[in-house]
Structures are given as C-alpha cells and as structure tokens.
C-alpha cells in the first residue's frame, strides 16, 4: 500500500495547514489578516523585521496551503485570509487537538 492511499484526505489537509502555520512569521501574518475586517493592503515588510525575500517565501507557503490570497493592485498587493479554507483549517486543527 502506498503512503498516498494510506492517509485520508482530511489527514493530508490537516498536515498541509499545520505545515503552513509552522513558523512564527506565518502565524503572525494570519493573526494580522484575521484582525482586519477587510484585506491588508500595507507593506508587510514594514510590519516584520525580515527581508522582503524571506517574507515572500512565507507568503508563498500560506498561499500554497490556501490559507491566504493576494490581489495585485500596483504598487501594492492586498492580502486576505481565504475565509473558506481558514474555517476548514480551524475545524481540522480543533479536531486534531481533541485526540
């Protein structure tokens, strides 16, 4: 049996979300976005003491997991939580923590 068929989709999705939240910078970004009633359109590199290239990698990880989305509005990019996936992540992580 391959590992791909051994794990459930729920387990794979939980791991994907947990990995995306596995760094303090990414947790900070999600917290920042969840506190705004709308998208954050400021320069996140001004909020965080990290290089823009490092920030870009963290944003990419959150986007790849589906937790955030970005819209380019030159000269800025607006970042928002992907509400549907964020709700799903919360459900899956709550379920995991009940174990």
């Amino acid at each position: 049996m391959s590992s791909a068929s051994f794990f459930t989709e729920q387990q794979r999705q939980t791991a994907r979300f947990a990995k995306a939240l596995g760094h303090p910078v990414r947790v900070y970004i999600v917290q920042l976005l969840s506190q705004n009633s709308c998208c954050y359109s400021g320069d996140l590199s001004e909020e965080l003491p990290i290089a823009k290239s490092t920030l870009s990698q963290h944003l990419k990880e959150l986007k790849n997991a589906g937790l955030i989305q970005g819209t380019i509005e030159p000269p800025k990019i607006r970042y928002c939580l992907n509400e549907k996936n964020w709700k799903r992540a919360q459900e899956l992580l709550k379920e995991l923590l009940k174990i």
Side-chain angles (χ1 to χ4, degrees):
M1 176 183 293
S2 73
S3 63
S5 61
F6 181 79
F7 300 108
T8 67
E9 179 57 30
Q10 181 173 331
Q11 289 166 330
R12 286 192 292 275
Q13 194 171 34
T14 301
R16 190 166 38 251
F17 290 145
K19 179 183 177 197
L21 294 170
H23 193 283
V25 168
R26 296 192 291 265
V27 171
Y28 177 87
I29 291 167
V30 168
Q31 287 175 328
L32 179 68
L33 296 179
S34 70
Q35 292 169 0
N36 291 301
S37 59
C38 60
C39 297
Y40 180 85
S41 59
D43 186 349
L44 287 170
S45 65
E46 292 175 6
E47 294 273 337
L48 293 158
I50 60 174
K52 286 187 179 192
S53 60
T54 304
L55 175 59
S56 178
Q57 286 302 112
H58 287 300
L59 291 168
K60 181 179 177 183
E61 190 73 34
L62 289 169
K63 282 188 214 176
N64 288 344
L67 293 175
I68 68 169
Q69 51 202 21
T71 308
I72 298 172
E73 294 179 2
K76 297 184 179 183
I77 301 175
R78 291 176 51 125
Y79 294 101
C80 303
L81 283 179
N82 179 318
E83 295 294 336
K84 179 182 174 189
N85 287 344
W86 180 237
K87 184 176 175 85
R88 180 68 177 146
Q90 289 174 318
E91 292 166 358
L92 290 171
L93 293 171
K94 282 180 187 176
E95 186 64 31
L96 175 67
L97 294 173
K98 286 182 186 177
I99 295 174

